[in-house]
Amino acid sequence: MAAGAAAAALGREGGEDAFRRLFRFYRRRDAADLRGVVDFSAPGGQVFRSQLSVSSVSDQDACRAGLQPVSRWKAYGLNGYPGFIFIQNPFLPGCQRHWVKQCLKLYTQKPNVCNLDLHMAPEKTADLWGQSKEKLRRKGSSKCEPRSLLEKLRWVTLGYHYNWDTKKYSANHHTPFPSDLAFLSEQVAAACGFRGFQAQAGILNYYHFDSSLGIHVDESELDHSRPLLSFSFGQSSIFLLGGLKREEAPTAMFMHSGDIMVMSGFSRLLYHAVPRVLPNPEGTALPSCLDQALSTDLPVGSVIEHSSDEDWQVCAKYLQSSRINMTIRQVLAEGQKFPEESGTNTESQISSEDGHHQENSRAKRHKPNMDS
């Protein structure tokens, strides 16, 4: 049976919820058996071109964020998923490197929070980049080599820090949101019709080839009228987008380096998951879009910074077996405040091991249940 037909048949079966069946289906299929996965680089079927608000973002502001003019973006929607927008790599040559470096070198620094804080002293997690770069640079192909701290990183939170236990944000656990990432997010949101979007919280997920992201809904933000933005860099993945209930079979799609997804309106509160991380389809160590050099002539006010060759060597080695995803959210509407809570403290905010980010590893299994 062809992969698409097999996936459709699984979605129609009774009993166990349809989403979990398809999650397991794509989790275990070999890479050659993925014909049922939507590929936006060759759109067809339920895919259609999405109209963007070209006038909402000047070409100069797009360039300052490392993006092509909005008029050149290739944006798509999916029948049955109003409010879902897929933007196929709109980044200017070399600009993805900036965001990769930020996710590995800058955003991992304190006061931001990461999973390693749960079992390591603060001084041990203060400079993950500095403690990892030489080990990464020298890393060979052997799986027996000890992992660097960056390779043990699973998530980082920014701005309002998500509490993995209570599944809430709070006013008393907040640190400054990175200004460059806020500017990028504002431009993408405006292009999708959401002018005035405020980047208030971010969850960065760090995946390896044996990682997955469990089935979940992003509903903890108090303002659901604003979109969820998702940026991917490095190796590819399969993303599953479902319905309002887990009984609804999801649609599978590829996400490649540089791709952006926007979930808004009806699609803002849909179940979704990442069952698989895959080698990029070009068959090279890194996708060609990451081999492109950054222009030496950056515009005035650009948030993009040049990476040194030394820094990029470390990033490139990391990405040969990894994928980084940034999800950006607006937590509160304009003028909205958090409800009063008692007994909340900073320590309790990070007490859960890995949230819904999972990894199947012979050395260490972060969660016993594959589907959260």
Side-chain angles (χ1 to χ4, degrees), residues 100-119:
V100 171
K101 185 193 72 174
Q102 298 296 80
C103 287
L104 292 176
K105 185 176 182 179
L106 184 66
Y107 301 158
T108 54
Q109 296 179 12
K110 299 302 169 233
N112 300 330
V113 178
C114 73
N115 63 291
L116 299 179
D117 296 325
L118 307 178
H119 15 245

Side-chain angles (χ1 to χ4, degrees), residues 126-162:
D127 185 13
L128 302 181
W129 174 270
Q131 296 180 71
S132 303
K133 61 181 181 180
E134 289 306 319
K135 185 177 288 187
L136 270 171
R137 190 179 289 112
R138 296 192 306 265
K139 187 175 179 64
S141 57
S142 172
K143 294 183 179 180
C144 298
E145 294 182 56
R147 293 181 301 165
S148 65
L149 289 179
L150 279 178
E151 292 171 293
K152 296 178 182 179
L153 190 63
R154 294 292 168 263
W155 53 261
V156 168
T157 55
L158 312 172
Y160 286 114
H161 296 282
Y162 185 69

